[in-house]
Amino acid sequence: MKLVIRLLIRFYQKFLNPVLKALGGPNSGCRFQPTCSNYFLQAVEAHGSLRGSWLGICRIFRCHPWGGYGYDPVPPKPGAENNSPGRPAGPET
């Protein structure tokens, strides 16, 4: 399922996004960093097909003229912050 989602997003990035930018003008891009399509890809990779798609869809709904803007990274998986490299995985002492 991840492969299908990745292919659809890559198709959008390669073929549909340039057409939308040409029709909408130079300031018609995404208001966030990473862009909504890159966010969707990162969310699917980090959280899997179902949860990642949900996060990506929620992000697309936040991307509108009256919404926010700026840096909006994919949230980490629950419990992933405790297993970061260079930090022992175990109870805090």
Side-chain angles (χ1 to χ4, degrees), residues 11-89:
F11 176 81
Y12 165 80
Q13 288 176 329
K14 186 144 180 102
F15 298 106
L16 298 180
N17 191 29
V19 172
L20 293 175
K21 282 193 181 221
L23 292 174
N27 294 326
S28 64
C30 187
R31 304 169 55 88
F32 293 103
Q33 283 297 328
T35 63
C36 293
S37 58
N38 284 329
Y39 181 97
F40 208 121
L41 280 174
Q42 292 172 11
V44 168
E45 289 300 318
H47 295 278
S49 299
L50 188 61
R51 175 128 172 89
S53 293
W54 175 251
L55 289 170
I57 290 168
C58 289
R59 167 66 178 277
I60 290 169
F61 283 130
R62 287 195 312 265
C63 192
H64 54 79
W66 304 279
Y69 61 91
Y71 183 63
D72 181 27
V74 175
K77 265 186 132 167
E81 57 274 353
N82 292 335
N83 296 328
S84 62
R87 185 172 175 188

